[in-house]
Amino acid sequence: DAGITQSPRHKVTETGTPVTLRCHQTENHRYMYWYRQDPGHGLRLIHYSYGVKDTDKGEVSDGYSVSRSKTEDFLLTLESATSSQTSVYFCAISSTGVDEQYFGPGTRLTVT
Amino acid sequence: AQKITQTQPGMFVQEKEAVTLDCTYDTSDPSYGLFWYKQPSSGEMIFLIYQGSYDQQNATEGRYSLNFQKARKSANLVISASQLGDSAMYFCAMREGGVADKLIFGTGTRLQVFP
């Protein structure tokens, strides 16, 4: 199994508060991704990173920011959480960016 | 327009039988990749199989095979000799060209294997 951890695994927060989710990998892969999973939508890309300090937006990036200061860590921040951001968040990694992505265990976030 | 379509929200199969999960895709890029992932009730996403658009042969991984029909733009997953542990959600996904940011997922098919 690819070495990917996510923290926290579960979080409940209030509307308007900032939230940071962490993805940590031990595979030294260059590419890292954040997805959200909602019923009826499959997984949708939020942001991705193609190297340290190199990030770009995905399909559903509004309300989210990311940072990658080290190869192994990719942080997702909800600047001011809203109820529409209640979701399951998955981190994924890829060595080349075009091969298969391996996913972390997910973080279930509830915004009340 | 949907890039990845999985038309079967749910499927049932008896243990030890084979089952086909459908996936059609839409792209004008000649270079693309197709992936299948499994998501059991525990929630993790497990990579199963990959097919590149230029691959001459259908991909196989153990009991999983990908029935790739390029002209029909379909990439169906075939699971042979189903097991109870195969009960899960299955997602088809596509990467277009060499674009690292674009892995587009379908909405999934829930497979239930019964004894």
Side-chain angles (χ1 to χ4, degrees):
Chain A
D1 290 346
I4 313 168
T5 57
Q6 293 184 230
S7 58
R9 294 292 314 278
H10 301 270
K11 186 169 183 67
V12 180
T13 191
E14 293 185 348
T15 298
T17 60
V19 176
T20 295
L21 308 182
R22 180 184 184 232
C23 177
H24 178 79
Q25 60 143 331
T26 57
E27 305 296 319
N28 201 36
H29 282 357
R30 179 181 173 189
Y31 294 84
M32 298 185 75
Y33 308 81
W34 277 107
Y35 292 88
R36 61 177 289 173
Q37 182 178 26
D38 304 291
H41 288 279
L43 277 76
R44 291 178 294 173
L45 182 67
I46 305 171
H47 282 279
Y48 74 104
S49 169
Y50 48 95
V52 173
K53 299 193 189 306
D54 293 323
T55 65
D56 207 343
K57 296 179 180 180
E59 178 188 357
V60 290
S61 59
D62 287 348
Y64 302 95
S65 62
V66 290
S67 65
R68 191 171 178 198
S69 59
K70 298 186 288 185
T71 298
E72 57 267 35
D73 289 326
F74 192 32
L75 304 181
L76 176 71
T77 297
L78 287 65
E79 292 136 12
S80 176
T82 67
S83 58
S84 64
Q85 293 176 312
T86 291
S87 188
V88 179
Y89 291 85
F90 285 97
C91 172
I93 65 174
S94 167
S95 60
T96 67
V98 295
D99 56 359
E100 62 269 20
Q101 296 180 15
Y102 292 95
F103 285 77
T107 293
R108 183 172 295 277
L109 176 69
T110 302
V111 183
T112 61
Chain B
Q2 290 282 348
K3 290 278 191 175
I4 292 283
T5 302
Q6 295 181 254
T7 58
Q8 307 155 314
M11 290 282 286
F12 289 90
V13 66
Q14 189 166 29
E15 201 176 7
K16 298 180 184 153
E17 297 294 310
V19 62
T20 298
L21 306 184
D22 294 343
C23 174
T24 58
Y25 60 92
D26 181 27
T27 182
S28 56
D29 196 318
S31 174
Y32 52 90
L34 297 156
F35 305 80
W36 278 92
Y37 286 85
K38 173 184 178 181
Q39 187 176 42
S41 58
S42 51
E44 70 269 31
M45 294 289 289
I46 302 167
F47 166 72
L48 295 178
I49 197 167
Y50 165 78
Q51 179 85 42
S53 59
Y54 293 120
D55 293 344
Q56 294 297 312
Q57 293 188 325
N58 287 346
T60 60
E61 288 287 348
R63 295 186 297 111
Y64 304 108
S65 61
L66 202 153
N67 184 1
F68 181 45
Q69 298 187 42
K70 200 168 183 177
R72 296 181 61 186
K73 294 190 175 178
S74 74
N76 299 338
L77 178 70
V78 180
I79 306 174
S80 63
S82 297
Q83 301 172 356
L84 295 178
D86 293 334
S87 294
M89 281 290 287
Y90 289 81
F91 291 95
C92 180
M94 176 177 68
R95 171 191 47 77
E96 291 183 294
V99 183
D101 62 333
K102 289 294 186 185
L103 195 60
I104 303 163
F105 283 82
T107 52
T109 295
R110 181 171 299 282
L111 176 67
Q112 295 188 54
V113 181
F114 60 93

